[in-house]
Amino acid sequence: MNSRAGSAADAAVDAKRFKRVLVANRGEIAVRIIRACRDLGIETVQVYSDADRDSLPVRLADRAVCIGPARSGESYLNARFIVSAALVHGADAIHPGYGFLSENAGFAALCEQEGVTFIGPSARVISLMGDKAMARRMADEAGVPTTPGSRGTVASAAEARAIAVELGYPVLLKAAAGGGGRGMRVVREPAELDLQFGDAAREAKAAFGDGSIYVEKFLSRVRHIEIQILSDGETVLHLGERDCSAQRRNQKLLEESPSPALGEALRAEIGAAAVRLCRHVGYRSAGTIECILDPETQRFYFMEMNTRVQVEHPVTECVTGIDIVKEQIRVAQGEALGIAQRDIEVRGHAIECRINAEDPARNFAPCPGTVHGFHAPGGPGVRVDSHLFSGYRIPPYYDSLLAKLIVWGRSRDEAIARMRRALGEMRVEGVTTTIPFHLSLLDDPHFVRGEIHTRFVEERLLETR
């Protein structure tokens, strides 16, 4: 093992098979975790809010327990209630999925304190990499390129203004403690900075409980590339990259693997950099290194790390044949990965479309309601991860994701054709969804040629609506 600063909590634990895992999430990712546990012969306890009493995860789990009212702050974000439920129901471990408490260092520490295994990295590593300014510092130390910017968080708009003068406009203000586009503002000229700084800090404080901001140079027309990592504390593997450049307001809409923008040399360089960073911080579990890529210069820059399983992990599973969630659980049990980097082979091409209960014609407004009918597409190379069923009532309190439609093909062209067919077959009756938007994206000649960037959807597809 590489020498590094760390704690005993970061070291590989003795293998101990879990008997029961509590699922501290909802929706499709809860279903995904329950199925992985069942494959491994592990019982599941599903927590739920009043709004999710009749949900599919509750129906599929071996046990279910209500932890509070509909509001997430009183249920899925109530760390003590969730850990208490795990202890009462005899769960050996807690799987947080993504979102909610999945990257909450305090929650991971509470699990460690109460003797319940947190299926993810240690609280120390979550805290280290969850602070984006600190994560940039770790990347610098590991020799991973970072976008030019402040060395850490900035204390005031005046300090941000001074840094912006050094970097040159436009600059990007980013929340140090969060992600998903919240607490993020592009500042194109000095007159905008004070107002944008205040708005970003307030939004970050409301979303993450921390209004800290850092500044970096804004690069336009870049691609969003992320590397999937698996580590057991000794062996660190990368499973290739995902291209997540199809976004709206920094929210991902479609992901694919491999990226059409990378050649083999650059792919190997980014993968090696991601592994190097994970070794440097002592990472153990599944995780993702997110980067931006300048297609013109073919230079990449570290952006952030997600210390959890990603929404888009299925595309990597399709091209590598590796079940990331099961491996994540096995590592948490103290098992070694049992494979080497030379064993990882990316075959074919996979695409994922996020099917949301949103109306693209009304600025992607959420559309909660009752699903009167649901038909999932099928056939070769088609996978649907969803918690939908006919009669399901979509609550208005949570994320609008209904399903992830994933396809695999021998080539990117075949995957695109297969996705068009699958979207045409898919039926979600009773609510408006983003299916028509995805069909229009797949028909765009720039997308078909792989010539997109993170502003592509807003600049080309949405401006004509």
Side-chain angles (χ1 to χ4, degrees), residues 223 260 412 444-453 456:
R223 297 188 80 115
R412 187 171 185 267
D444 186 274
H446 291 268
F447 175 83
V448 172
R449 294 194 299 268
E451 300 170 353
I452 68 170
H453 51 82
F456 168 81

Side-chain angles (χ1 to χ4, degrees), residues 9-10 104-110 112 118 120-128:
D10 301 320
N104 186 301
F107 179 56
L110 181 61
E112 293 169 10
F118 178 81
S122 70
R124 183 193 70 85
V125 171
I126 294 173
S127 179
L128 188 68

Side-chain angles (χ1 to χ4, degrees), residues 312-327:
E312 58 272 21
H313 74 273
V315 292
T316 298
E317 293 182 330
C318 286
V319 296
T320 63
I322 294 174
D323 189 317
I324 293 169
V325 177
K326 283 169 66 174
E327 292 301 324

Side-chain angles (χ1 to χ4, degrees), residues 15 20 52 85 96 104 115 159 224 246 284 300 363:
R20 189 172 297 138
D52 285 330
N104 186 301
E159 186 180 349
H224 183 129
R284 181 174 170 272
F300 70 94
N363 201 26

Side-chain angles (χ1 to χ4, degrees), residues 11 15 37-38 80 114 132 138 171 182 235 243 295-296 303 336 350 442:
C37 286
R38 187 150 294 161
R80 292 201 173 274
E114 296 296 336
K132 291 183 172 50
M138 293 297 103
V171 297
R182 289 171 294 180
T235 300
D243 194 316
E296 290 188 5
M303 184 167 57
L442 291 168

Side-chain angles (χ1 to χ4, degrees), residues 405-438:
L405 177 55
I406 309 106
V407 302
W408 177 89
R410 290 168 295 182
S411 65
R412 187 171 185 267
D413 287 345
E414 183 176 65
I416 290 173
R418 188 161 281 166
M419 181 61 83
R420 288 196 189 105
R421 188 262 297 169
L423 286 165
E425 289 182 13
M426 193 170 192
R427 295 288 182 272
V428 183
E429 299 173 358
V431 296
T432 302
T433 74
T434 52
I435 290 174
F437 165 81
H438 284 295

Side-chain angles (χ1 to χ4, degrees), residues 236-442:
V236 183
L237 306 175
H238 74 82
L239 308 186
E241 83 283 354
R242 296 184 288 258
D243 194 316
C244 308
S245 302
Q247 303 179 7
R248 172 186 170 270
R249 295 183 177 177
N250 303 303
Q251 299 290 319
K252 299 168 187 174
L253 302 169
L254 175 151
E255 302 93 2
E256 57 183 313
S257 182
S259 169
L262 298 189
E264 287 306 314
L266 184 56
R267 176 171 291 117
E269 184 182 354
I270 296 179
V275 168
R276 197 162 62 246
L277 177 55
C278 288
R279 287 193 184 281
H280 180 67
V281 301
Y283 197 81
R284 181 174 170 272
S285 189
T288 302
I289 303 295
E290 300 203 356
C291 303
I292 56 175
L293 170 72
D294 184 341
E296 290 188 5
T297 63
Q298 288 289 283
R299 296 186 66 180
F300 70 94
Y301 304 95
F302 169 78
M303 184 167 57
E304 64 185 33
M305 182 174 194
N306 289 301
T307 56
R308 53 170 168 80
V309 67
Q310 292 277 91
V311 176
E312 58 272 21
H313 74 273
V315 292
T316 298
E317 293 182 330
C318 286
V319 296
T320 63
I322 294 174
D323 189 317
I324 293 169
V325 177
K326 283 169 66 174
E327 292 301 324
Q328 187 185 26
I329 294 169
R330 288 189 177 111
V331 166
Q333 291 182 147
E335 296 181 36
L337 287 170
I339 52 176
Q341 190 65 55
R342 62 178 176 274
D343 301 319
I344 308 300
E345 181 182 2
V346 174
R347 300 180 61 190
H349 199 94
I351 301 174
E352 173 182 293
C353 288
R354 301 191 188 195
I355 310 302
N356 295 341
E358 296 173 352
D359 186 352
R362 294 192 300 120
N363 201 26
F364 289 79
C367 296
T370 300
V371 177
H372 298 304
F374 174 56
H375 173 73
V382 176
R383 166 178 166 179
V384 180
D385 283 16
S386 179
H387 56 291
L388 287 190
F389 55 85
S390 183
Y392 174 66
R393 296 183 63 183
I394 303 168
Y397 310 102
Y398 314 114
D399 185 270
S400 59
L401 180 66
L402 299 180
K404 300 185 310 197
L405 177 55
I406 309 106
V407 302
W408 177 89
R410 290 168 295 182
S411 65
R412 187 171 185 267
D413 287 345
E414 183 176 65
I416 290 173
R418 188 161 281 166
M419 181 61 83
R420 288 196 189 105
R421 188 262 297 169
L423 286 165
E425 289 182 13
M426 193 170 192
R427 295 288 182 272
V428 183
E429 299 173 358
V431 296
T432 302
T433 74
T434 52
I435 290 174
F437 165 81
H438 284 295
L439 285 167
S440 66
L441 174 59
L442 291 168

